[in-house]
Amino acid sequence: KARYRIKQAAAMADARAAKMKEHWYKQSSIIARDKAAFTFGVMLLLFTQYVASCQMAWLCTWYAGFLATLYAVRYWIYHQEKQHYFLLEFCYILNFLLIFHVFLYPN
């Protein structure tokens, strides 16, 4: 009886894997939104490198504006999902303290 259950479980796992494989190849894994987000991210990275290398005086302002925009969007999304307390993690607090330090104690 135990061997029958093992064979049945293996058959179910194989059927599920085949179904997932069929779904994976049927549905496009890269959609237009992902392509646009990737392109936007690369362009944003290039612009940030330009600001850091050619417009050094604007780097802090650019970083603060970018971070404020990201935090606002993340708060809105996280609050809708009732996960806004994740914004109290170490990385978010550290970036906030960095901006606080750069603008209030620049020297």
Side-chain angles (χ1 to χ4, degrees), residues 3 8 10 21 30 44 46 48 53-54 56 58 60 62 72-73 89-91 95 98 100 102 105:
R3 286 186 181 177
Q8 188 180 16
K21 189 174 183 180
I30 301 175
L44 195 60
L46 293 174
T48 303
S53 61
C54 297
M56 191 66 112
W58 288 96
C60 292
W62 163 249
V73 169
E89 288 182 339
F90 178 72
C91 295
N95 278 311
L98 175 67
F100 180 77
V102 165
Y105 303 105

Short mmCIF file of all heavy atoms in Angstrom, two decimals, residues 3 8 10 21 30 44 46 48 53-54 56 58 60 62 72-73 89-91 95 98 100 102 105:
data_model
loop_
_atom_site.label_atom_id
_atom_site.label_comp_id
_atom_site.label_asym_id
_atom_site.label_seq_id
_atom_site.Cartn_x
_atom_site.Cartn_y
_atom_site.Cartn_z
N ARG A 3 3.89 1.55 -1.27
CA ARG A 3 4.49 1.71 -2.60
C ARG A 3 3.49 2.32 -3.58
O ARG A 3 3.85 3.12 -4.43
CB ARG A 3 4.99 0.38 -3.13
CG ARG A 3 6.24 -0.09 -2.46
CD ARG A 3 6.76 -1.34 -3.10
NE ARG A 3 7.96 -1.77 -2.40
CZ ARG A 3 8.61 -2.85 -2.68
NH1 ARG A 3 8.19 -3.65 -3.65
NH2 ARG A 3 9.68 -3.18 -2.01
N GLN A 8 1.79 6.88 -6.74
CA GLN A 8 0.72 7.84 -7.03
C GLN A 8 1.22 9.27 -6.83
O GLN A 8 0.95 10.14 -7.65
CB GLN A 8 -0.48 7.56 -6.13
CG GLN A 8 -1.70 8.37 -6.48
CD GLN A 8 -2.87 8.06 -5.56
OE1 GLN A 8 -2.71 7.47 -4.49
NE2 GLN A 8 -4.06 8.44 -5.99
N ALA A 10 4.34 10.26 -7.02
CA ALA A 10 5.31 10.53 -8.08
C ALA A 10 4.61 10.85 -9.40
O ALA A 10 5.01 11.76 -10.13
CB ALA A 10 6.26 9.35 -8.26
N LYS A 21 5.59 23.03 -17.04
CA LYS A 21 6.49 23.19 -18.18
C LYS A 21 5.71 23.67 -19.40
O LYS A 21 6.15 24.56 -20.13
CB LYS A 21 7.19 21.87 -18.48
CG LYS A 21 8.29 21.97 -19.48
CD LYS A 21 9.03 20.64 -19.60
CE LYS A 21 10.18 20.75 -20.56
NZ LYS A 21 10.91 19.49 -20.69
N ILE A 30 8.67 37.05 -20.75
CA ILE A 30 9.06 38.46 -20.75
C ILE A 30 7.95 39.25 -21.43
O ILE A 30 7.71 39.09 -22.62
CB ILE A 30 10.40 38.67 -21.47
CG1 ILE A 30 11.50 37.86 -20.81
CG2 ILE A 30 10.75 40.14 -21.49
CD1 ILE A 30 12.81 37.92 -21.53
N LEU A 44 18.02 55.01 -16.13
CA LEU A 44 18.17 55.68 -14.84
C LEU A 44 19.58 55.49 -14.29
O LEU A 44 20.18 56.42 -13.75
CB LEU A 44 17.13 55.14 -13.86
CG LEU A 44 16.89 55.92 -12.60
CD1 LEU A 44 16.41 57.32 -12.92
CD2 LEU A 44 15.85 55.21 -11.77
N LEU A 46 22.30 54.95 -16.10
CA LEU A 46 23.20 55.76 -16.93
C LEU A 46 23.12 57.24 -16.56
O LEU A 46 24.13 57.94 -16.49
CB LEU A 46 22.89 55.56 -18.41
CG LEU A 46 23.19 54.17 -18.96
CD1 LEU A 46 22.71 54.06 -20.40
CD2 LEU A 46 24.67 53.88 -18.86
N THR A 48 22.25 58.45 -13.64
CA THR A 48 22.88 58.60 -12.32
C THR A 48 24.40 58.61 -12.45
O THR A 48 25.09 59.39 -11.78
CB THR A 48 22.42 57.47 -11.38
OG1 THR A 48 21.00 57.50 -11.29
CG2 THR A 48 23.02 57.63 -10.00
N SER A 53 29.43 61.64 -12.33
CA SER A 53 30.74 61.93 -12.92
C SER A 53 30.87 63.33 -13.49
O SER A 53 31.94 63.92 -13.42
CB SER A 53 31.06 60.90 -14.01
OG SER A 53 30.09 60.96 -15.03
N CYS A 54 29.80 63.89 -14.03
CA CYS A 54 29.91 65.20 -14.70
C CYS A 54 29.25 66.34 -13.94
O CYS A 54 29.64 67.49 -14.12
CB CYS A 54 29.29 65.11 -16.09
SG CYS A 54 30.13 63.95 -17.18
N MET A 56 28.80 66.71 -10.34
CA MET A 56 28.98 66.26 -8.97
C MET A 56 28.21 67.11 -7.96
O MET A 56 27.75 66.60 -6.94
CB MET A 56 30.46 66.27 -8.62
CG MET A 56 30.76 65.58 -7.33
SD MET A 56 30.42 63.85 -7.43
CE MET A 56 32.05 63.23 -7.33
N TRP A 58 25.31 68.26 -8.16
CA TRP A 58 23.89 67.91 -8.15
C TRP A 58 23.62 66.49 -7.65
O TRP A 58 22.46 66.06 -7.57
CB TRP A 58 23.30 68.04 -9.56
CG TRP A 58 23.17 69.46 -9.97
CD1 TRP A 58 24.04 70.18 -10.72
CD2 TRP A 58 22.10 70.34 -9.62
NE1 TRP A 58 23.60 71.46 -10.88
CE2 TRP A 58 22.39 71.58 -10.22
CE3 TRP A 58 20.94 70.21 -8.88
CZ2 TRP A 58 21.55 72.68 -10.07
CZ3 TRP A 58 20.11 71.30 -8.74
CH2 TRP A 58 20.42 72.51 -9.33
N CYS A 60 23.85 65.00 -4.65
CA CYS A 60 23.05 64.89 -3.42
C CYS A 60 21.59 65.24 -3.67
O CYS A 60 20.68 64.58 -3.16
CB CYS A 60 23.62 65.78 -2.33
SG CYS A 60 25.22 65.22 -1.74
N TRP A 62 20.01 65.06 -6.58
CA TRP A 62 19.44 63.99 -7.41
C TRP A 62 19.11 62.77 -6.56
O TRP A 62 18.02 62.20 -6.67
CB TRP A 62 20.41 63.62 -8.53
CG TRP A 62 20.13 62.31 -9.18
CD1 TRP A 62 20.88 61.18 -9.10
CD2 TRP A 62 19.00 61.97 -9.98
NE1 TRP A 62 20.29 60.17 -9.80
CE2 TRP A 62 19.13 60.63 -10.35
CE3 TRP A 62 17.88 62.67 -10.42
CZ2 TRP A 62 18.20 59.97 -11.14
CZ3 TRP A 62 16.95 62.02 -11.20
CH2 TRP A 62 17.11 60.69 -11.56
N ALA A 72 8.05 57.28 -1.52
CA ALA A 72 6.62 57.58 -1.63
C ALA A 72 5.88 56.46 -2.37
O ALA A 72 4.81 56.02 -1.93
CB ALA A 72 6.43 58.91 -2.35
N VAL A 73 6.45 55.99 -3.46
CA VAL A 73 5.82 54.92 -4.23
C VAL A 73 5.79 53.63 -3.41
O VAL A 73 4.77 52.93 -3.37
CB VAL A 73 6.54 54.71 -5.58
CG1 VAL A 73 6.08 53.45 -6.26
CG2 VAL A 73 6.33 55.92 -6.47
N GLU A 89 12.84 48.84 8.00
CA GLU A 89 14.03 47.98 7.97
C GLU A 89 15.29 48.82 7.97
O GLU A 89 15.28 50.03 7.70
CB GLU A 89 14.00 47.09 6.74
CG GLU A 89 12.99 46.00 6.81
CD GLU A 89 13.02 45.11 5.59
OE1 GLU A 89 13.52 45.51 4.54
OE2 GLU A 89 12.54 43.99 5.72
N PHE A 90 16.40 48.17 8.22
CA PHE A 90 17.68 48.84 8.38
C PHE A 90 18.07 49.66 7.14
O PHE A 90 18.52 50.80 7.26
CB PHE A 90 18.76 47.79 8.68
CG PHE A 90 20.14 48.37 8.80
CD1 PHE A 90 20.49 49.13 9.90
CD2 PHE A 90 21.08 48.14 7.82
CE1 PHE A 90 21.75 49.66 10.02
CE2 PHE A 90 22.35 48.66 7.93
CZ PHE A 90 22.69 49.43 9.04
N CYS A 91 17.89 49.11 5.94
CA CYS A 91 18.34 49.79 4.72
C CYS A 91 17.57 51.08 4.49
O CYS A 91 18.15 52.10 4.10
CB CYS A 91 18.19 48.87 3.51
SG CYS A 91 19.26 47.44 3.59
N ASN A 95 19.35 54.83 4.63
CA ASN A 95 19.29 55.79 3.52
C ASN A 95 18.67 57.11 3.97
O ASN A 95 19.12 58.18 3.56
CB ASN A 95 18.49 55.21 2.35
CG ASN A 95 19.33 54.30 1.50
OD1 ASN A 95 20.43 54.65 1.11
ND2 ASN A 95 18.82 53.12 1.23
N LEU A 98 21.28 58.92 5.89
CA LEU A 98 22.28 59.45 4.98
C LEU A 98 21.84 60.79 4.40
O LEU A 98 22.60 61.77 4.39
CB LEU A 98 22.57 58.46 3.86
CG LEU A 98 23.52 58.95 2.76
CD1 LEU A 98 24.92 59.12 3.32
CD2 LEU A 98 23.52 58.00 1.59
N PHE A 100 19.59 62.78 5.66
CA PHE A 100 19.52 63.70 6.80
C PHE A 100 20.91 64.27 7.09
O PHE A 100 21.08 65.47 7.28
CB PHE A 100 18.98 62.93 8.01
CG PHE A 100 18.86 63.74 9.26
CD1 PHE A 100 17.81 64.63 9.41
CD2 PHE A 100 19.77 63.59 10.28
CE1 PHE A 100 17.68 65.37 10.56
CE2 PHE A 100 19.66 64.32 11.43
CZ PHE A 100 18.62 65.23 11.58
N VAL A 102 23.61 64.39 5.04
CA VAL A 102 24.17 65.15 3.93
C VAL A 102 23.61 66.57 3.88
O VAL A 102 24.34 67.53 3.64
CB VAL A 102 23.90 64.42 2.58
CG1 VAL A 102 24.13 65.33 1.40
CG2 VAL A 102 24.80 63.20 2.48
N TYR A 105 24.19 68.26 7.96
CA TYR A 105 25.59 68.36 8.40
C TYR A 105 26.52 68.09 7.22
O TYR A 105 27.22 67.09 7.18
CB TYR A 105 25.86 67.33 9.52
CG TYR A 105 24.96 67.50 10.71
CD1 TYR A 105 23.91 66.62 10.94
CD2 TYR A 105 25.15 68.54 11.61
CE1 TYR A 105 23.08 66.77 12.02
CE2 TYR A 105 24.33 68.70 12.70
CZ TYR A 105 23.29 67.81 12.90
OH TYR A 105 22.47 67.97 13.99
#
